[in-house]
Structure formats: C-alpha cells, structure tokens
Amino acid sequence: MLLSEQDQFLSYNGEVLVFQLSKPKHAEEADDKTMNLYVRRMVFNRDTKLFVQKSSGVFSMGDSHSKVEMICCSCTTDSRTGIILPCVLMKKKKRNNVKYFLLLLHSSNQFEPSFYFKLDYELKEDIRLFAGPSLLWRHANKLFYISSNSCVVQSAPVQLSSVVWTGEIVGEGTVVLGIRTACLPETEDPHEFSISDRAIWGSEFFGYAIQTQKMLTGACFMPHAYSRVVSSVYVCKSERLKKQLQISLVAITHKNQLIWFQNGVPKGVCELPYEKPCSVKPALTSSNDLLFVVSFASGNSCVVRRRDSLQVASKWQKVKCVLVDDFIGSGREQLLLLFQEDSNTDVLSTFKVTDLGEVNYASGINYKYDVPAAEGLQENGLLTVRALETRLQAGWNSVRELQQHLGLQKRVILESCRALKDLVEERTHILPNSKEEGLVSLWDDVENPPDSLSKETSSASQVPEHFTEELWQRVVGDSLIVGVKLAESFNLSLSDVSLSLVMDQDFSSILPIIKCQSKIIKLNKAFSALAVSSSQIEPPPKKIKLDLHSKNDLKEEFPKMSSRIQRDGTKTVTAVTSLSPLLAFHRVCCVVLLHARKQNHQNDSLQQSKKITILCGKILLSLEDISNSRYSVKMLRDNNYCTGSMEDILAVLAVSVRFSFQIVSCDYTLTPVSSWLLGEMECTPFKECQDNIFCHKAGNVHGTIFNWALKNPFEGVLTVFCRNLTVLFQCLHSLTRVLPPSCSVKLLRSGSKGVLTEHLALALEKEMLTLKKSLFLKETKAENSLTWGNESGKKINNAPLDSLLDTEEGVQQFRKKLQNEREESVRSMNQTMNGALYQKIALKIAEAQLSSDMIVWRLA
C-alpha cells in the first residue's frame, strides 16, 4: 500500500504503527465513497535490518457522503484498565456540521470507538490527546476539553493565546501549560510602560490543573520574561520536596533556542541550527545520554545532547517525522527518522535508526557485506580510550590516598582508646614504635622518664574508695540504660558527672568507645520526689558525650555549693545508648567509667578543678539475655500499686523527656486532674515513691510517668516524663477535655519557682564569694610586692620627728623616708598581675555568673 500525505505514524512498544485512510478495492471500482481506516504494525528485523509488517487491522467508516479526515494520533492511558493504548482522532464533515470521534486500538488490531461529539466549527489550534482518553483544544482564546468519562464538552475558566504542553504533574493531575495576556497590577498604568516593558509584561506563562481547576504560577516553571518567546515545552521531571513543586523542563523559543530550566531557573541554552522550531521530545539512549529531538516547520530535525552543557549532536533535512522508542529491542531508546520522498513509495522504505552511538542502521545499505570502520574513527576511539584510562588511574590514586589517610586516623584513635583503658586500669601503656606505624616524628623523640609515668598513674588512682554502691543495666525499647548508684557517704563536691561505655573486646575494625548520653537522677526518699538533671541546658539541643576530654557535658541541677549528696537521698548516674549496634556482636562486654571534676578549696584560695575517672565495673550483654527479657523493665499492678523496682523506675526516667506544666484555675478546684490520672489514664503510684504514678493505659501513652503536686486547691504543677512529643501531645489533648474552660496551662522551663528561687540565692552568694576571694588574692599579691619598702624603713619608724630635724643626718633620713613612702604610693596605684593568675580569676568569675544567669533564665 502506497503512502499518502494524510498517513500518520506512531511508535508503540517498539513497533511502528502506520495509520492510513483509503477506499476498499470494490468501492474504487463501484465509485463508492466508503472510507476505511487501516493500521499496519511494523517491526524491525535484526537480520535484514529492515522494517517488516507484523500484522494489520481495519475499521470501516460506513457508507457516508461525509468527508473523513484523520486529525492526530497518540498513545494515552485507558482510565478503565490503566493500560496505555494507541488512539486516533477522526473527523467527519458534512456541510456545516462537524463530528469528531476517538478510536482506541487494542493488541488484536481491533478499533474501539471511545466517544464522539459535534461542533459547529473545526478544530485547528493546539489539539492535544491525554489520559482518559481525553481531548483538549483551543478555540477563540478559550480552552475546551472532553473525556471518555463524561463525553461532554467542557470549557475551562481561562483565557489563553497558546498551549505549549499537556501532561501529568505529581500531585496536580493533568496540567495544561499555556501563555495568556498578562494581568497587570491595578495600581499600574499600562500607558506608562516602555516598549521593552510591554514586550515582557504583555504575556505570562501559567499552568492550569484540569481535575482540581487550580491555577499554577509560572514561576516554578520558568521566569516571567521567557513567556513571550516560548513556543513549545516538554516537562522531563516533576516531584514534590517539602511540599514544594520541583520541575525540570526543556523549552524551545521563537528565537531558535533550546533552554533547560530547573525549578524555574535557566540552567543551559543552545542555539538551534534551523528556524521555526515547533516541537521537542526527549530520548534516553544506551550511553545514558539525554537527547532532545527538535522538529522544525521546514521539515528539518536536530538532536541536542545534554551532558556538561547543551550541544547540537546531529541534524537532518527533509524529515517526515521522528519517532522515539526501543525499535531494536536493546532496552534503550533509539531515534527512527522517516525521510520525505518525491514519489509515494511503500511503507518505511527510507529510514534511519540511530542512538548517536553504537546503533546506526539506515535503509539502502547491505549489512551482509558491511565494511569496517574508517581508520580515522578507529584513531579517535583509541585516543578517547587512553584519555579515559588516564582519568581512571588518577581517580584510583586519589581513592587510595584517602583510604590510607582514613586508616591512619583509625589507628590513632584506637591507640588513644587503648591508652585510656590502661590508664584507668593502672597499667603501664607502651606506645608502638613509630617505624612500625609508618610515622615520622616532627620533633626529636624524647622518651618519658619512668618517674613521670608513675606520677601520672598514681594521680589517676587517687580516687576515693567505696565511691559507687551498685552497677545495673536495663533495656527499654531500642535503648540500653546503664546506671551507677553513688554512695551516700561520699561528700565531695562534684560537677560534670558523666558515664562512658568502652568495649572490652579488641575490635580492630571499630572504635571501642560507645556513643551515649548521660543523666544524673536524684531520688529524695523523704519527700518522694524525683528531680532529673540532664545535659539539656541552654541552648535546648542535647549535648552528646563523644570523648573523655569534652567539657560541660552535664550541668547538675543544683549549684556547686549545694551539690553535695544529702544523707536523706541518693543519686544515680545513667548512660543511655542505642542497643541495636551492640547486638550485632551477639555477645559484648563493656567497661563502665565514671567521670567527674573534683573541686579543691584550700585556705580560701582558688584551685583548678581536677578531673577524676573511676572504674565502676563491667557489664555483659548477649542476644540470648535480650531474647529472654532478662533486663527488661517490669511494671505490674499489685493492690493499686506499681511494683516496679527502683532500677526500673530510673531506667524509664533515663529514656524519658521531662515537661512541667503549671495549671491554674480561677473559678473551680483542680480535682478533675487527680480523677483524670487515676481514671482515664489508669495510673497507679509506685511503692518506692508514691507521689509519682505510672500510666498503664494501652497505647502510646503506656509507660508515661506523672507527678501531680497541688500548691493549693486552685493551683498545681503537673510533671510528665514521656518518650517523645507525640505522647506528650496525646496526654495534653486528653487532659484539656476534663479541665474547666477557665483553666490556664503554662509550660515551666525547669523546676518549681520556689526551688529555683532558692538556687538563685545560693548562686548569687557564690558569685559574691568568688569576687571577694579574687580581690583578696589581688591585694595579697600587691602587699607582698611592697614588703621590701617597709623593711628599709624599720630603723626610722619609731624615731621622733623633732629629733630627726635637729641634725643634718636626721634631715637626710627624713627625706629618704618621704621618698620611700612616695614610691610605695605610686606602686600601690599601678598594681600588676600575672597573666595566668588573671586568667584563672576571670574563668572562676565567668563560671559563677553563668550559673546565676542560667537560673534567672529558667525562672523567666
């Protein structure tokens, strides 16, 4: 069958569909006006390198005097099955009535009429087929569309001068991108615009979502100034990140340019070789190159490759159409170019299949006796391979140097950890030979004398005996909690208390120090109150202890002057770490180290705090123990009490976040709070500390601990220990439903107002004492520097003034005395201080002021 001008070509699953309108043979002989729509499926033969017919089908238009035309064809999604099918838009015109109908083509080559509609005008502008199947067109600067679901022509409430793209966008459905007349601000006078402003603001780019009937601003597609010159667009990628629409598209302009836009910003531009570009579509070839195929009104085509920049890769003339699909079955797309011929020849007689790389087939070539590539191409390929090998070798050298550097860092960290373990266990650490480590010293190697090493070891071992009473461990969810109970008899002042977990096994591939978060929990048995002091201070984000020398890992809730452990209470230091990484070793042993600072105050003089490290013991952890729930927390009900042990309570508190709320009611008492805790939340008090109650309610709130303290019937403080903010919000939502409407709930930053006021008074007192000691130390240093002057004047201090003035020798002594007193006065006015002493004094004053400022911030 010969080709005609009305024939349409379409690629579908690697096949080429050729749609043709013609009369049947018997109709031609009988002069009948019956028209049939034929389809031929053509596939590429890998042996002959030609397209051959696979199958065919026909659809009869019936006996009619109407003029039948084929408008366009495309592949769209059938909404009934979700399968992409070829569809053809047909037109029948009889006098002034125009009827359009859409045909779907199935794999059996059977045509199925989808829908039809009648118009009193012909479709000529911006006709697009999209999913449904649906049809969209523009007429008289208005947008119309019809779908197979409604079969009714609908009008969109937009005015537009052209449609540049129609397709699917994530979260918006089917979107139409077009250009319309710009809506100038009401405050602007259009007559005041210059010629250049009119050229830019005369039109604008916009999007319209058909399903939601929502307008999309053109800023996320391209800048406003480009709307005047854009003729066609293809959206390559659309996604939503943090509720923001991210768009990547390519556009062709009337200025013969192809521009790549990403999130509304131009990223590249390429000059096109021909004038009047009309369409663009992408292709992904075997070399992972993204190609853009541009067709021109003159029948020419070109391909633009996008790598580091946009460049024209190839161009052709007299091209009838360009199809993109996997025609040879390689798994990647190729271009099929169908060329124009002077005579009407058979189907696909003149073509070219290429991916601008290895694939390159054309009609009229006998591939059976194919000649080898030219010598020039072989030479270019060899040079390219050599350049790639050089770049590969350079990259491999960089990777190898980086691996060596990382290996060196790992060895240094592992050796530091071994030295730390030896220091804690009072063993002599032997440094490896620098030659064995492959290191070169930058200074002369001086070995440490044995005396210095013994002094360091002895200083590290000078820690109080019986410092800790108990070491325990618990598992809560995916967290491992290790606790150390401090002895009540220990009365030294401590600050910066924390725990470290060090793996006892010698793993060469991992670091032995385990990342964890430390907390200090004080339980006052006399008052049955819990006070949790964690490392969550200003600023709010938690501070994680990563090494053994980091400062300010944890600030105690009480000031240093009142941080001695009271006789009626106990303190427990906990460390929380992730359980999953430890279970990878099946069985692991960890050394528990406690770190603190020991403050020395001797003779009212300032001394630098001293770091101490105490070995608390070892813990064993195995996957079998976890499976048997050996270390699990057990909170059960027993006669209206919760039977959890003290270690279980502390473990739950360690993994919980504390929030305190002040609840004030002006008109009603706060009795509903207690009823809500014991009723709806199903809470029971602990036997160990009955003011704190445990929530047994099923769901996310299970395991939450509450503390309800009434100051008076109309005011109280509710403290919540919960796993996360989600649980907290659920508790507050349930609480607000039972509180009176006039109640006010205020979040307290930390602690009660009375306790914080007492702490502030102690902190201010400490700040005054620090200033007093600093001034006293300064005066002492100045007096010591002036003692020599007083020594020289001892001989004449007791002599009467009249006797000194009677003789010449006495007058000289009086002058000398007067001169010495003048010098002493000048020296006392210009006192100096050692830099190291001044630094210590300034540091102490700053620490005292910071402590009081923190309490003031918590009271605010």
Side-chain angles (χ1 to χ4, degrees):
M1 183 179 294
L2 299 180
L3 296 178
S4 64
E5 295 181 357
Q6 289 190 357
D7 294 341
Q8 300 279 348
F9 298 89
L10 184 64
S11 60
Y12 178 71
N13 291 340
E15 302 175 347
V16 179
L17 305 182
V18 183
F19 297 97
Q20 295 176 307
L21 270 176
S22 63
K23 295 181 180 181
K25 293 183 178 180
H26 65 85
E28 293 179 359
E29 297 175 356
D31 195 16
D32 193 354
K33 295 184 179 181
T34 301
M35 297 291 290
N36 288 345
L37 175 63
Y38 294 91
V39 60
R40 302 176 65 181
R41 294 181 183 266
M42 311 293 291
V43 295
F44 186 76
N45 191 316
R46 298 289 296 270
D47 297 329
T48 61
K49 308 298 187 294
L50 297 174
F51 281 92
V52 296
Q53 180 174 321
K54 176 183 178 182
S55 59
S56 62
V58 63
F59 179 78
S60 177
M61 299 296 176
D63 187 6
S64 174
H65 297 281
S66 302
K67 181 181 180 181
V68 181
E69 294 182 17
M70 187 164 34
I71 304 300
C72 63
C73 61
S74 180
C75 292
T76 61
T77 303
D78 187 357
S79 60
R80 299 170 301 179
T81 60
I83 301 175
I84 298 177
L85 294 176
C87 60
V88 184
L89 178 63
M90 305 297 298
K91 181 184 75 171
K92 283 186 177 182
K93 182 178 180 182
K94 185 176 182 181
R95 297 180 182 177
N96 295 330
N97 295 328
V98 184
K99 178 181 179 181
Y100 293 91
F101 57 95
L102 196 68
L103 301 177
L104 290 176
L105 177 64
H106 295 277
S107 58
S108 59
N109 292 328
Q110 297 292 324
F111 287 93
E112 176 192 0
S114 179
F115 61 85
Y116 72 93
F117 59 97
K118 296 181 179 180
L119 297 174
D120 56 357
Y121 58 88
E122 297 185 25
L123 300 183
K124 294 182 179 180
E125 298 175 325
D126 297 331
I127 304 171
R128 306 296 172 98
L129 292 170
F130 57 96
S134 303
L135 177 65
L136 177 146
W137 69 92
R138 181 177 61 88
H139 178 72
N141 290 336
K142 293 184 179 181
L143 186 65
F144 301 90
Y145 59 92
I146 183 175
S147 66
S148 58
N149 297 326
S150 62
C151 298
V152 177
V153 176
Q154 299 180 7
S155 175
V158 292
Q159 295 281 338
L160 73 168
S161 58
S162 66
V163 175
V164 296
W165 181 80
T166 303
E168 297 287 329
I169 289 183
V170 175
E172 302 294 344
T174 303
V175 174
V176 179
L177 300 183
I179 299 173
R180 65 180 179 180
T181 303
C183 299
L184 297 177
E186 296 179 358
T187 57
E188 301 290 345
D189 185 3
H191 299 287
E192 296 180 359
F193 281 84
S194 62
I195 298 178
S196 59
D197 291 334
R198 289 177 181 274
I200 295 176
W201 292 99
S203 61
E204 65 177 353
F205 193 82
F206 76 103
Y208 175 74
I210 293 180
Q211 282 84 357
T212 60
Q213 296 185 357
K214 184 175 70 173
M215 300 296 296
L216 303 178
T217 177
C220 60
F221 299 97
M222 65 180 64
H224 176 77
Y226 288 87
S227 62
R228 186 74 176 180
V229 296
V230 170
S231 60
S232 181
V233 165
Y234 189 90
V235 177
C236 301
K237 183 180 180 181
S238 65
E239 59 182 352
R240 284 193 175 272
L241 295 176
K242 298 180 179 180
K243 298 183 180 180
Q244 293 293 328
L245 187 60
Q246 307 288 325
I247 298 291
S248 297
L249 61 87
V250 62
I252 55 177
T253 69
H254 300 298
K255 303 294 184 180
N256 304 326
Q257 292 176 327
L258 184 141
I259 308 176
W260 172 262
F261 294 95
Q262 193 166 356
N263 300 330
V265 179
K267 295 295 184 179
V269 63
C270 176
E271 293 290 336
L272 298 177
Y274 305 111
E275 295 182 354
K276 297 182 180 180
C278 55
S279 65
V280 58
K281 53 186 172 182
L284 188 62
T285 60
S286 58
S287 57
N288 287 330
D289 287 340
L290 181 59
L291 306 180
F292 298 110
V293 184
V294 183
S295 300
F296 298 85
S298 59
N300 301 330
S301 297
C302 74
V303 173
V304 178
R305 177 183 279 115
R306 178 179 177 266
R307 285 183 178 174
D308 297 334
S309 61
L310 296 173
Q311 297 179 350
V312 177
S314 186
K315 57 183 179 179
W316 303 275
Q317 295 180 348
K318 295 184 178 181
V319 178
K320 179 178 294 186
C321 70
V322 180
L323 303 179
V324 178
D325 209 327
D326 183 14
F327 300 103
I328 66 174
S330 63
R332 291 289 182 174
E333 294 179 335
Q334 305 92 39
L335 308 181
L336 172 60
L337 292 92
L338 302 179
F339 296 96
Q340 299 176 358
E341 293 292 337
D342 296 336
S343 60
N344 293 333
T345 58
D346 202 355
V347 178
L348 300 180
S349 59
T350 307
F351 66 89
K352 182 176 184 178
V353 178
T354 180
D355 64 351
L356 303 186
E358 300 177 355
V359 180
N360 192 8
Y361 301 115
S363 59
I365 299 178
N366 190 356
Y367 290 94
K368 191 174 182 179
Y369 305 100
D370 197 4
V371 296
E375 295 180 358
L377 294 177
Q378 290 181 352
E379 183 179 357
N380 292 338
L382 181 60
L383 294 175
T384 302
V385 171
R386 289 178 180 176
L388 293 175
E389 289 178 349
T390 304
R391 291 179 60 183
L392 183 61
Q393 185 64 33
W396 168 246
N397 292 337
S398 300
V399 172
R400 185 169 55 187
E401 292 177 0
L402 182 60
Q403 289 176 344
Q404 293 176 355
H405 181 67
L406 293 176
L408 177 61
Q409 285 185 340
K410 180 183 288 186
R411 291 199 303 272
V412 171
I413 296 176
L414 289 175
E415 190 61 34
S416 301
C417 295
R418 295 191 184 100
L420 172 64
K421 292 174 61 178
D422 293 339
L423 180 64
V424 172
E425 297 178 0
E426 302 182 3
R427 294 182 304 192
T428 302
H429 181 71
I430 302 176
L431 293 174
N433 191 357
S434 59
K435 295 182 179 180
E436 296 178 359
E437 293 292 327
L439 303 176
V440 178
S441 177
L442 298 179
W443 297 276
D444 296 333
D445 293 334
V446 179
E447 297 183 358
N448 295 327
D451 294 340
S452 62
L453 183 61
S454 61
K455 290 180 180 178
E456 292 178 2
T457 306
S458 61
S459 64
S461 61
Q462 291 178 358
V463 295
E465 298 181 0
H466 308 296
F467 182 65
T468 60
E469 287 186 355
E470 183 183 1
L471 174 65
W472 51 268
Q473 64 193 89
R474 289 292 186 274
V475 174
V476 179
D478 191 39
S479 300
L480 171 66
I481 301 94
V482 179
V484 175
K485 181 180 179 182
L486 305 182
E488 296 184 3
S489 59
F490 185 71
N491 57 2
L492 291 180
S493 177
L494 297 177
S495 64
D496 298 331
V497 182
S498 62
L499 289 181
S500 290
L501 304 180
V502 183
M503 298 182 66
D504 194 28
Q505 292 93 331
D506 189 9
F507 294 107
S508 59
S509 59
I510 62 170
L511 300 179
I513 295 181
I514 300 173
K515 179 180 178 181
C516 58
Q517 179 191 3
S518 296
K519 282 186 179 181
I520 182 168
I521 304 176
K522 182 180 178 182
L523 176 63
N524 195 330
K525 295 182 180 179
F527 299 97
S528 298
L530 283 173
V532 179
S533 173
S534 68
S535 58
Q536 190 169 353
I537 61 172
E538 172 71 20
K542 296 181 181 178
K543 188 176 182 69
I544 304 299
K545 182 175 182 61
L546 297 178
D547 56 17
L548 300 179
H549 301 283
S550 60
K551 297 183 179 180
N552 298 328
D553 290 333
L554 177 138
K555 295 292 183 185
E556 293 190 58
E557 187 179 23
F558 304 97
K560 294 181 181 178
M561 294 188 62
S562 62
S563 63
R564 300 174 183 271
I565 302 175
Q566 302 176 5
R567 295 288 182 176
D568 60 348
T570 60
K571 277 188 178 180
T572 301
V573 184
T574 60
V576 182
T577 185
S578 180
L579 179 64
S580 303
L582 299 178
L583 295 181
F585 301 103
H586 186 70
R587 184 177 181 86
V588 66
C589 177
C590 296
V591 177
V592 182
L593 305 177
L594 188 141
H595 312 281
R597 285 182 179 271
K598 181 180 179 182
Q599 301 289 349
N600 295 327
H601 299 277
Q602 298 178 358
N603 300 327
D604 291 335
S605 61
L606 294 175
Q607 298 289 338
Q608 180 66 35
S609 60
K610 177 182 177 182
K611 292 182 180 180
I612 59 175
T613 302
I614 297 95
L615 177 63
C616 302
K618 297 182 179 180
I619 61 169
L620 295 175
L621 188 67
S622 65
L623 189 59
E624 182 179 0
D625 294 336
I626 302 299
S627 301
N628 296 332
S629 302
R630 180 177 177 183
Y631 302 112
S632 299
V633 173
K634 299 178 179 62
M635 298 288 188
L636 302 177
R637 293 185 182 182
D638 184 15
N639 295 329
N640 296 327
Y641 284 100
C642 185
T643 60
S645 63
M646 190 60 61
E647 290 77 12
D648 294 339
I649 299 174
L650 295 174
V652 174
L653 292 176
V655 298
S656 300
V657 187
R658 175 184 178 177
F659 299 93
S660 296
F661 299 91
Q662 182 184 24
I663 304 177
V664 180
S665 176
C666 300
D667 303 326
Y668 302 93
T669 61
L670 295 177
T671 306
V673 177
S674 300
S675 303
W676 172 74
L677 291 172
L678 300 178
E680 182 177 346
M681 301 306 291
E682 303 178 14
C683 296
T684 56
F686 293 105
K687 283 188 176 181
E688 300 290 341
C689 43
Q690 299 183 12
D691 284 353
N692 298 277
I693 55 179
F694 184 84
C695 179
H696 296 276
K697 184 178 180 180
N700 292 334
V701 297
H702 180 81
T704 306
I705 296 178
F706 297 93
N707 182 285
W708 173 237
L710 269 175
K711 293 184 178 181
N712 54 63
F714 301 95
E715 182 181 357
V717 176
L718 177 65
T719 304
V720 183
F721 299 90
C722 53
R723 295 191 306 272
N724 49 51
L725 289 175
T726 302
V727 176
L728 176 66
F729 292 150
Q730 290 180 354
C731 295
L732 293 178
H733 177 69
S734 176
L735 175 61
T736 53
R737 290 185 298 179
V738 300
L739 289 176
S742 60
C743 267
S744 65
V745 181
K746 178 183 177 182
L747 174 65
L748 301 178
R749 295 197 174 182
S750 178
S752 62
K753 188 174 182 180
V755 175
L756 290 177
T757 304
E758 181 182 355
H759 292 172
L760 178 60
L762 294 174
L764 292 175
E765 181 183 358
K766 178 186 174 183
E767 185 178 344
M768 294 176 60
L769 290 175
T770 304
L771 289 171
K772 180 180 178 181
K773 291 177 182 178
S774 303
L775 295 175
F776 175 76
L777 182 62
K778 179 179 179 182
E779 294 175 357
T780 303
K781 295 292 182 179
E783 290 177 359
N784 292 336
S785 63
L786 298 176
T787 53
W788 66 273
N790 294 332
E791 293 292 337
S792 62
K794 282 183 179 179
K795 295 181 181 180
I796 59 176
N797 279 343
N798 298 325
L801 180 61
D802 295 339
S803 61
L804 290 177
L805 298 178
D806 290 343
T807 61
E808 183 178 355
E809 183 180 357
V811 173
Q812 295 295 333
Q813 291 181 0
F814 181 77
R815 287 179 177 177
K816 185 176 181 180
K817 177 182 178 182
L818 185 60
Q819 183 67 25
N820 290 338
E821 290 180 352
R822 183 180 298 174
E823 292 178 357
E824 290 176 3
S825 177
V826 172
R827 281 195 296 269
S828 63
M829 296 294 292
N830 300 319
Q831 297 179 13
T832 60
M833 183 179 294
N834 182 271
L837 178 62
Y838 177 78
Q839 185 178 6
K840 291 181 180 179
I841 293 176
L843 179 62
K844 294 297 179 182
I845 295 175
E847 288 181 353
Q849 292 176 346
L850 179 62
S851 177
S852 59
D853 291 344
M854 285 296 303
I855 299 177
V856 171
W857 172 79
R858 290 158 67 182
L859 273 171

